[in-house]
Amino acid sequence: MNQIPQDNQGPVDVVIMAAGKGTRMKSRLPKVLHRLAGRALLAHVTGTAARIGARHVVVVTGHGAAEVEAAMSSGNGVGAALQFARQEPQLGTGHAVQQAVPLLPEDGTVLVLSGDVPLIGEETLRALIAASAGQRLALMTIEFDDPTGYGRIVRTEGREGEVTAIVEHKDATEAQREICEIYSGMMAVPAALLKGWLARLDNRNAQGEYYLTDIVKLAAADGVPVVAHVTADALQVAGINSPAQLAALERAWQLRQAEALMAQGVRLADPARFDLRGTLACEADVEIDVNCVFEGAVFLGEGVRIGANCVIANARIEAGAVIHPFTHIEGEKAGVTVGERSLIGPFARLRPGAQLGAEVHIGNFVEVKNSTLAEGAKANHLAYLGDATVGQRVNYGAGSITANYDGANKHRTVIEDDVHVGSNCVLVAPVTIGAGGTIGGGSTVNKSTEPGALTVARSKPVSFPNWKRPQKKPKA
Ligand code: UD1
Ligand code: CA
């Protein structure tokens, strides 16, 4: 294929077909809202449309239209460029694109995508648009060993010939069914040409549908060149029709992400037991054990080690920190930071706004929320720190909690540097424990304490000498 400069094509407007029923998902949720790598299938496609710089992105909705439109109206990655065109009833892919026509300016190239083909890549689409070059009909095709069910690419004389038609499987002759080159469902075409052809479609075929693929015949009849951009990457054109296909594509995509991280030097104990549902940025010598899930935006500094079975979302883990197995870190919007060389877990829980300095230790069954812990602070067992400011080298005993909520409002607890909080203490916020102070085990503290003081707030032990415990009655 001769090289045509990309600036020939002008603005790109994207139409995403998403009106189909998705019967084989057997789900109440519209198919395009099912999730791959933590995001709706359709959101993958709108995100890619945004990255290629689409001017308009029109989603054709039908089945579950209201739900799809509501789900996509915020955080779709496209912002104001996203528009919806309803297709009711659904009379085929040609009919679907017809519904978008009023929203498509004459001067653009229209890129047709499917809401259930989530992994189509930016570079592949750029190549397809370049093949259209503002004047041709460009089809994305691929060769399949088993082309059953797909539209076949019909060429004049064999494999290298000109494309003259796409014939749907149900309409194909035995000879045409032997063709292994299939239409992926994605095309790039100048808007003005597309509109003319759409107006000429009919539904005289095996399914009684208006086939978008019939525009190929019309282009050939009009003498407009039809070009095929053949891709070799089956993952990028894979469509989702069933839970099994969704799971298979998820694993294939996760493996690809795992391989990309390993190529950067990340050491994964098992690339088949790794899940990334967002972005993971890693510095050198990061080790990740089996069955970890990363969500949102996660950063792992140099030499960070993540133990088995951790779930980590929206967090920054600084160099040399170790996250022991079964730790749950959920940063949500506020984020979580784990400082350099900190030791977290096993079985620790860090919630939004946990900001841990260097060499902090958080042990098993310790929950930290919206709290700052300065360098060297330790809470090693069974504790809660919520809405707290914890100074350097503080030791926070087993079973101690900050009572941060009075039933209506949340209050802060301040624990200054070098404080030692014994076991099983309740710090009733708002309260400040002065620097270097000590809180005796079992104390409930609802008044601020002076620096250096020992504070004990518990009943004195009472002993009864030679106490006889009740005895079991002998059997009669
Ligand atoms: C279509 C192509 C076929 C291609 C295959 C690739 C046509 C006629 N055939 O087949 O050549 O090999 O995709 O997967 O285009 N949709 C609507 N409205 C409708 C019908 C479909 O929005 O009225 C949407 C679906 O939700 C889906 C996409 O269009 O996202 C493709 O529809 P689907 O039924 O999967 O296409 P096929 O008939 O399998
Ligand atoms: Ca169909």
Side-chain angles (χ1 to χ4, degrees):
M1 189 189 308
N2 52 339
Q3 287 290 308
I4 289 169
Q6 246 180 296
D7 51 359
N8 273 13
Q9 97 241 347
V12 175
D13 299 305
V14 174
V15 176
I16 305 173
M17 297 184 294
K21 187 149 188 217
T23 313
R24 280 186 281 160
M25 289 303 292
K26 299 188 179 161
S27 168
R28 296 170 68 97
L29 188 69
K31 179 167 79 174
V32 293
L33 296 184
H34 282 268
R35 286 170 181 274
L36 181 99
R39 277 163 87 205
L41 298 177
L42 182 53
H44 284 270
V45 186
T46 57
T48 308
R51 285 198 303 280
I52 61 165
R55 173 176 57 181
H56 296 288
V57 178
V58 183
V59 178
V60 180
T61 57
H63 274 283
E67 204 178 339
V68 172
E69 291 166 16
M72 295 304 295
S73 289
S74 62
N76 54 56
V78 198
L82 191 67
Q83 293 169 286
F84 298 100
R86 290 246 179 138
Q87 185 200 17
E88 278 159 347
Q90 292 81 39
L91 303 179
T93 51
H95 180 251
V97 179
Q98 277 169 358
Q99 311 314 303
V101 161
L103 300 171
L104 301 172
E106 295 282 318
D107 65 337
T109 291
V110 177
L111 180 63
V112 178
L113 305 176
S114 270
D116 58 1
V117 180
L119 296 181
I120 182 59
E122 207 180 313
E123 289 315 312
T124 309
L125 290 180
R126 285 188 202 283
L128 183 69
I129 293 161
S132 167
Q135 54 189 322
R136 307 190 289 204
L137 170 55
L139 309 171
M140 176 112 63
T141 71
I142 186 167
E143 301 229 3
F144 279 165
D145 292 340
D146 178 11
T148 309
Y150 292 96
R152 307 301 206 282
I153 303 298
V154 180
R155 293 175 182 260
T156 43
E157 65 276 323
R159 183 63 191 78
E160 297 303 316
E162 271 176 41
V163 178
T164 55
I166 298 173
V167 180
E168 292 306 305
H169 182 89
K170 285 182 178 149
D171 300 288
T173 62
E174 280 307 314
Q176 287 168 334
R177 287 185 182 180
E178 297 295 310
I179 300 171
C180 288
E181 186 184 6
I182 63 102
Y183 171 54
S184 68
M186 292 173 273
M187 63 168 66
V189 50
L193 293 174
L194 174 68
K195 289 184 186 188
W197 295 326
L198 287 174
R200 287 155 63 191
L201 290 180
D202 64 55
N203 64 353
R204 291 191 297 270
N205 52 54
Q207 301 184 80
E209 289 181 6
Y210 294 87
Y211 291 163
L212 177 61
T213 44
D214 279 351
I215 72 170
V216 176
K217 276 184 288 201
L218 301 175
D222 289 355
V224 175
V226 181
V227 292
H229 177 77
V230 190
T231 176
D233 188 359
L235 224 56
Q236 290 195 41
V237 301
I240 301 297
N241 294 299
S242 65
Q245 287 175 346
L246 180 60
L249 194 62
E250 176 81 34
R251 286 333 308 157
W253 176 238
Q254 292 301 346
L255 192 58
R256 190 168 282 192
Q257 296 192 114
E259 282 164 352
L261 286 163
M262 291 190 296
Q264 290 165 33
V266 178
R267 294 195 291 274
L268 298 178
D270 183 355
R273 284 179 291 171
F274 167 81
D275 285 85
L276 171 55
R277 303 172 187 157
T279 57
L280 180 59
C282 295
E283 300 208 318
D285 284 303
V286 165
E287 281 184 24
I288 300 172
D289 209 335
V290 299
N291 292 333
C292 291
V293 179
F294 297 88
E295 297 174 347
V298 175
F299 166 84
L300 304 179
E302 186 172 341
V304 164
R305 284 191 286 139
I306 310 290
N309 302 296
C310 290
V311 177
I312 300 180
N314 297 303
R316 209 183 150 79
I317 318 282
E318 302 289 358
V322 179
I323 312 295
H324 289 294
F326 296 98
T327 290
H328 186 214
I329 299 180
E330 172 48 82
E332 286 174 19
K333 285 209 175 78
V336 164
T337 305
V338 174
E340 292 182 5
R341 299 177 305 283
S342 285
L343 304 178
I344 311 298
F347 298 100
R349 181 166 184 221
L350 304 182
R351 293 176 50 206
Q355 305 293 336
L356 316 185
E359 296 182 22
V360 165
H361 294 185
I362 299 295
N364 43 204
F365 311 109
V366 174
E367 175 183 349
V368 182
K369 185 218 75 173
N370 191 29
S371 293
T372 305
L373 279 73
E375 183 165 356
K378 293 182 175 65
N380 273 324
H381 329 265
L382 300 161
Y384 176 57
L385 282 162
D387 304 302
T389 303
V390 180
Q392 294 182 20
R393 298 170 299 276
V394 163
N395 198 310
Y396 193 74
S400 290
I401 66 153
T402 55
N404 55 330
Y405 185 54
D406 62 14
N409 297 298
K410 299 237 168 102
H411 303 280
R412 275 202 95 72
T413 300
V414 177
I415 306 172
E416 293 180 348
D417 291 349
D418 300 299
V419 162
H420 182 100
V421 177
S423 295
N424 227 27
C425 292
V426 179
L427 306 182
V428 184
V431 69
T432 296
I433 311 300
T438 302
I439 307 296
S443 295
T444 294
V445 181
N446 61 357
K447 282 202 311 241
S448 292
T449 65
E450 290 301 313
L454 166 66
T455 304
V456 184
R458 63 180 183 230
S459 52
K460 289 223 164 70
V462 181
S463 287
F464 300 90
N466 304 317
W467 175 252
K468 296 278 185 292
R469 288 197 295 270
Q471 304 285 310
K472 264 195 180 154
K473 280 190 192 133
K475 276 197 179 139

